[in-house]
Amino acid sequence: MANAGKKNEWASPLSPYRAANLHPHASFISSGTMTRILVNLLFKLWFKPLWRAVPPVSSVRARFLWADRMASLGRKKITPQYRDIGGVPVEWIGAEGAMQKGVVIYLHGGGFAVRAIYSDRRFCRDISLRSGLPVVLVPYRLAPEYPYPHGLNDCCRVYEGLIGEGVPAGSIVIVGHSAGASYALALLMRARQEGLPQPAAAIVLSAPTDMTAQSPSIVANARRDAMLGPNIWPWARKIYVGTMPLSHPEISPLFGDWSGLAPISFHVSDSEMLLDDSRRAVERARESGTQADLSIWKGLPHNFYFLDFLPESRQFREQMLGFIERALARTE
């Protein structure tokens, strides 16, 4: 590899991959075991059956939005501020004055077609409270009504718009989950291509980097994955990709140019079909000289990051905050 033997301060001491859910107190892991088992079971019962076929978008939206509403019962409602950045309506969560310290752009998941409004807002509020930074939540346009490149264009316009408003690129951290993680990677590549400065860093959660579906874990984890099934690839191609080549870098960032990108922190579960999408992307990034680390979490569903009752979710958030702090400190 191009940077083999070079010290990578972004990587874990357990390089090349971080064993993310190791903890010095065994009781910490065992205390959440039953909860993790129950969560995986519920996900398999509620989400997994969707992908026995190629479902209509209405069915996917109904099931995900019902789960979002049920998970929000009894929780405090998060009311964002609404702003226009780069011509895109966004949700601003956190204090305006905190922009001097930095800004987080959050790109949500949902298979390019769905948005879990309440879960996204709670997650962004938690990032803001923990980091002291405002979070710009981008409700990009959704497929199939707005297929590629509409959603990605919205994300890129927000990034460019923040820079245009005087926010230094080195004060911006991009966080993306699932479809939003793919957008985050494509945004980095497009920004470099268009001559825009890179952000301080990016954090990508369960990123689909190869829409050609060639990662070995798609087959190896087809049964273990508690949330997704193999039919999600033809579904996403049908509703989002259209006639674009599946290997196009803005559809499959794995095949893009990874040189000169901001440091990237990848997170994924070892039971996800998307596991090797992250592994392969990290290798491509490192071979190109881009700093990248990978945390592989054990036996957790695709959306575990948002389940704040899981100990692993809390541990992930601590890691994310530390990465954000280090990224912003490097660009001061």
Side-chain angles (χ1 to χ4, degrees):
M1 283 186 248
N3 58 349
K6 179 188 286 188
K7 182 179 179 182
N8 181 357
E9 65 183 286
W10 296 92
S12 162
L14 299 174
S15 295
Y17 303 123
R18 176 189 295 140
N21 64 340
L22 293 179
H23 194 277
H25 304 295
S27 60
F28 178 87
I29 299 174
S30 60
S31 66
T33 299
M34 289 306 300
T35 304
R36 186 171 66 244
I37 292 172
L38 179 60
V39 165
N40 277 305
L41 177 60
L42 290 174
F43 272 55
K44 285 184 176 180
L45 291 173
W46 185 249
F47 293 110
K48 191 83 169 179
L50 276 171
W51 308 112
R52 291 172 182 164
V54 178
V57 172
S58 59
S59 297
V60 177
R61 286 176 173 169
R63 190 155 297 209
F64 275 75
L65 296 180
W66 186 90
D68 187 35
R69 288 193 297 270
M70 291 300 101
S72 302
L73 292 176
R75 290 175 174 263
K76 182 180 178 180
K77 183 179 179 181
I78 307 299
T79 303
Q81 304 172 51
Y82 296 95
R83 287 188 52 186
D84 182 290
I85 300 178
V88 179
V90 302
E91 298 182 4
W92 187 281
I93 298 175
E96 186 88 20
M99 281 180 62
Q100 297 176 353
K101 295 175 56 181
V103 179
V104 174
I105 296 176
Y106 176 69
L107 310 178
H108 66 82
F112 306 100
V114 187
R115 179 190 167 201
I117 296 174
Y118 306 115
S119 298
D120 286 339
R121 289 175 180 168
R122 283 196 304 274
F123 183 67
C124 290
R125 178 61 173 167
D126 190 64
I127 293 175
S128 181
L129 289 174
R130 287 171 179 263
S131 67
L133 306 174
V135 179
V136 178
L137 197 167
V138 183
Y140 53 80
R141 287 172 290 177
L142 300 175
E145 295 83 359
Y146 298 96
Y148 172 85
H150 292 88
L152 176 59
N153 288 347
D154 290 345
C155 299
C156 293
R157 286 162 60 196
V158 170
Y159 178 65
E160 186 174 1
L162 277 177
I163 295 174
E165 291 183 9
V167 178
S171 296
I172 299 173
V173 175
I174 299 173
V175 179
H177 171 249
S178 196
S182 178
Y183 279 157
L185 295 170
L187 187 159
L188 296 183
M189 294 177 184
R190 187 187 284 189
R192 182 204 52 219
Q193 180 180 336
E194 295 183 353
L196 291 173
Q198 290 287 295
I203 302 170
V204 294
L205 317 177
S206 299
T209 66
D210 179 6
M211 199 65 75
T212 69
Q214 296 302 306
S215 289
S217 57
I218 291 175
V219 175
N221 281 346
R223 293 177 62 87
R224 291 185 67 205
D225 194 307
M227 188 170 180
L228 305 178
N231 280 322
I232 195 170
W233 275 268
W235 180 81
R237 293 168 193 155
K238 176 181 177 181
I239 65 147
Y240 173 66
V241 177
T243 59
M244 287 296 295
L246 294 175
S247 59
H248 190 286
E250 291 192 344
I251 300 295
S252 297
L254 180 71
F255 304 115
D257 178 2
W258 289 78
S259 62
L261 303 184
I264 309 170
S265 180
F266 288 79
H267 293 260
V268 69
S269 170
D270 69 347
S271 61
E272 288 191 75
M273 289 190 296
L274 290 168
L275 171 62
D276 288 333
D277 275 36
S278 288
R279 281 176 165 162
R280 295 166 68 204
V282 169
E283 295 297 334
R284 288 292 300 270
R286 290 176 175 172
E287 288 169 359
S288 300
T290 289
Q291 295 172 327
D293 69 37
L294 172 60
S295 295
I296 299 177
W297 300 82
K298 184 178 179 181
L300 293 162
H302 179 68
N303 278 11
F304 88 90
Y305 315 96
F306 308 98
L307 307 179
D308 50 13
F309 54 85
L310 285 173
E312 293 91 346
S313 175
R314 296 192 294 270
Q315 188 182 355
F316 154 73
R317 296 180 193 210
E318 292 173 3
Q319 285 191 13
M320 176 175 62
L321 178 59
F323 185 83
I324 291 172
E325 289 176 344
R326 293 192 299 274
L328 294 177
R330 281 176 56 92
T331 58
E332 288 180 351

